[in-house]
Amino acid sequence: MATEIVKAENDYQAAFRQMRQSNPTAAWVELVRGSAMDRFELLGFPSVREEDWKYTNLAPIMKQRIFPAARTETPRQLKAKLHQYPETSNSRIVLVNGFVSAELSSIGGLGEVVALDLFEAVADPNYGKITREYLARNADYHDNGLTALNTAFLQSGLFVLIPKNTKLETPLEITFVSNPSEPWTASFPRVLIVSEENSSATILENYVSIGDETYFTNAVEQIVL
């Protein structure tokens, strides 16, 4: 088991270095990603010795070499395969392999609610300070290996801001699509929802997969009230 853990961590380190080179971002995010990877190296994957994981053995994942998903064009046939609720026809956001798909999303019914690709929000002068304040602070990766791994592999995600005194009348549907290009494609969706004073919303989430390949999804959602 110890050999498997070391091998898995070495594979993840190699994937991390490749991802970092191909997808650079803001300096402070780079520091967060590096710190999170260091923490994952110390924590590793949860084991069955831990109370929360005693019924879930992650050893099969640890034995595999993962391939972090990259942003790709959305397959044309994908839209027809996604179930849609009539209530969310204009308040729906779709992430494919952890990346927001503008083609599949429809946000015309969100009104004052802001919904952006997470890295667009990081670079936006209106929202950069908010993302910097909450992105890593609230989702504490110091004690959770999977959260640390998700933070290390941040490439995209979703930022939602519900302004003060705003009530979103229709539900916001977030659909996470896994579309693996090869076995053990790994995606790391990250969602940051900031709901300001006296605001309210209903959030629906779906996880779906396209294709028959084995894949790994490690999702983290932060909700700041």
Side-chain angles (χ1 to χ4, degrees):
M1 179 63 72
T3 302
E4 291 173 357
I5 292 174
V6 171
K7 178 182 181 299
E9 291 179 353
N10 288 339
D11 285 344
Y12 278 77
Q13 291 164 12
F16 173 72
R17 289 192 294 270
Q18 182 179 357
M19 179 276 300
R20 211 174 190 183
Q21 292 173 0
S22 62
N23 193 10
T25 182
W28 68 266
V29 179
E30 292 288 4
L31 290 174
V32 169
R33 293 201 296 194
S35 175
M37 191 63 202
D38 291 341
R39 194 61 186 162
F40 173 70
E41 290 178 7
L42 290 174
L43 295 172
F45 285 94
S47 74
V48 291
R49 297 187 184 93
E50 299 177 41
E51 179 67 23
D52 290 344
W53 293 90
K54 65 181 181 179
Y55 300 117
T56 307
N57 190 346
L58 299 183
I61 296 175
M62 294 160 52
K63 295 177 182 178
Q64 299 296 328
R65 181 185 178 188
I66 67 159
F67 299 90
R71 189 188 297 272
T72 59
E73 293 186 8
T74 302
R76 293 181 179 180
Q77 70 274 20
L78 184 55
K79 191 170 185 178
K81 295 184 178 181
L82 295 180
H83 175 74
Q84 299 177 8
Y85 296 101
E87 296 87 349
T88 63
S89 59
N90 290 313
S91 56
R92 182 179 64 255
I93 300 170
V94 179
L95 292 86
V96 180
N97 290 342
F99 295 88
V100 173
S101 170
E103 180 182 354
L104 297 177
S105 301
S106 178
I107 60 174
L110 293 183
E112 299 298 317
V113 174
V114 176
L116 289 175
D117 178 282
L118 182 58
F119 275 24
E120 289 183 19
V122 166
D124 192 302
N126 294 315
Y127 311 115
K129 184 177 180 180
I130 299 175
T131 58
R132 185 168 186 170
E133 180 178 2
Y134 293 120
L135 185 57
R137 191 182 74 178
N138 285 72
D140 188 359
Y141 59 81
H142 297 286
D143 298 316
N144 187 308
L146 288 174
T147 303
L149 187 64
N150 175 283
T151 304
F153 279 88
L154 277 176
Q155 297 187 76
S156 178
L158 174 63
F159 170 72
V160 177
L161 174 64
I162 309 170
K164 182 179 180 180
N165 298 323
T166 298
K167 181 179 181 181
L168 186 59
E169 299 294 341
T170 60
L172 169 60
E173 181 183 2
I174 304 173
T175 298
F176 301 89
V177 179
S178 292
N179 184 32
S181 57
E182 55 187 317
W184 289 101
T185 295
S187 60
F188 303 89
R190 185 61 159 261
V191 177
L192 172 60
I193 299 175
V194 180
S195 185
E196 295 185 335
E197 182 181 358
N198 198 37
S199 63
S200 63
T202 298
I203 310 294
L204 306 178
E205 292 187 5
N206 294 317
Y207 286 82
V208 299
S209 62
I210 306 296
D212 298 324
E213 298 287 3
T214 303
Y215 62 92
F216 172 40
T217 299
N218 178 19
V220 171
E221 182 167 350
Q222 300 169 248
I223 300 178
V224 182
L225 303 179

